[in-house]
Amino acid sequence: MGKYILADNQELTQFALESLLCHHDETVVGKATDKTVLVELLKEHEDAVVLLDYTLFDFADDDQLLILAERFSLSQWILISDDLTPHFLRRVIYMSHQFSIVYKDGSMKDIRDALYAVSHHNRHISQRALETIIIIQQQEDGERPSVLTTTEMEIVKAIAQGKTTKEIAAERVSSIHTITTHRKNIFRKLGINTAHEVVKYAFRAGLIDSSDFYI
């Protein structure tokens, strides 16, 4: 019987995953809402399987994730997310064999296959993730990254200043849905997954300096 840690901040997803694990007689040993809690749970259960939505968690970048996995070398990870960049997928898959990849909007069979694989100390990479890596490898030579629009640059600056999607929408007299769409496009174009990485980009691009941060 395997031990599982749920690291997903969406209650509905947590409930669905817990129900699925209980159906397969697996044990949920804890639920993590942030990286600090996750580390404490892994200290108690070093060989647990972590079900993680990386895009909703407080990892600054993929380096933090890889370092944590290396620290708890007996652990296995199933990343369950909506949007993972090709760069992130390639790096995580190539750097560590502890990670399996599935998507929240994928099939139930894909998730079951991942659970079965980790229960036998193997990993499962969804076909969609594999195809994404293959495509980016084919496009790498000579392809220029997409350029951010003026609106997207303004939103990058707002995100880096710590403003929420709701606050940005109010300032721009736009809907939350519109700003969310802009955020997804920005993350895709920059090849990033988290707001922490947006801050790094904004500094490098000269969009903000230390005086732009809220106190």
Side-chain angles (χ1 to χ4, degrees):
M1 183 180 294
K3 296 182 291 185
Y4 290 79
I5 296 171
L6 299 184
D8 190 306
N9 290 321
Q10 290 182 330
E11 290 185 10
L12 185 59
T13 305
Q14 275 196 11
F15 176 79
L17 290 173
E18 190 168 15
S19 299
L20 181 61
L21 291 169
C22 288
H23 180 73
H24 289 274
D25 296 321
E26 304 290 3
T27 303
V28 176
V29 296
K31 299 177 183 178
T33 55
D34 56 40
K35 183 160 57 68
T36 301
V37 176
L38 178 56
V39 169
E40 292 304 313
L41 286 170
L42 282 169
K43 287 179 181 178
E44 295 179 33
H45 309 282
E46 293 187 354
D47 60 343
V49 177
V50 181
L51 299 176
L52 170 71
D53 187 334
Y54 173 78
T55 59
L56 295 181
F57 234 61
D58 60 339
F59 286 100
D61 51 34
D62 47 8
D63 282 330
Q64 282 195 353
L65 177 63
L66 289 166
I67 290 169
L68 186 58
E70 184 178 2
R71 176 181 174 186
F72 297 99
S73 59
L74 297 178
S75 65
Q76 296 182 83
W77 301 67
I78 300 177
L79 302 186
I80 307 177
S81 299
D82 287 323
D83 298 302
L84 293 171
T85 65
H87 168 79
F88 173 86
L89 286 172
R90 184 169 57 181
R91 187 152 191 261
V92 168
I93 290 172
Y94 288 173
M95 292 289 290
S96 174
H97 286 276
Q98 292 170 256
F99 292 95
S100 295
I101 310 286
V102 294
Y103 290 89
K104 282 189 175 179
D105 59 355
S107 67
M108 184 63 72
K109 180 182 182 302
D110 208 21
I111 296 177
R112 287 199 175 101
D113 286 347
L115 293 174
Y116 178 83
V118 297
S119 70
H120 290 77
H121 300 284
N122 296 315
R123 70 172 178 172
H124 172 82
I125 308 299
S126 74
Q127 185 64 31
R128 175 176 162 189
L130 290 173
E131 290 174 354
T132 299
I133 293 173
I134 291 170
I135 290 171
I136 198 64
Q137 287 176 335
Q138 292 173 340
Q139 294 178 342
E140 257 186 352
D141 291 338
E143 182 157 308
R144 297 179 60 190
S146 300
V147 177
L148 297 184
T149 66
T150 301
T151 296
E152 288 169 344
M153 294 287 273
E154 292 170 353
I155 291 173
V156 163
K157 181 174 181 178
I159 293 171
Q161 290 173 327
K163 297 177 183 178
T164 66
T165 299
K166 185 177 181 180
E167 289 171 336
I168 297 170
E171 287 182 359
R172 301 187 64 83
V173 195
S174 299
S175 69
I176 291 176
H177 173 74
T178 298
I179 302 303
T180 300
T181 300
H182 281 306
R183 280 177 62 105
K184 288 184 177 181
N185 288 336
I186 290 165
F187 281 28
R188 175 180 55 79
K189 288 182 178 181
L190 297 181
I192 59 178
N193 290 289
T194 68
H196 292 84
E197 292 169 298
V198 172
V199 174
K200 291 181 182 179
Y201 170 82
F203 268 117
R204 290 197 302 268
L207 295 175
I208 59 169
D209 56 39
S210 58
S211 65
D212 285 307
F213 283 94
Y214 293 143
I215 304 300

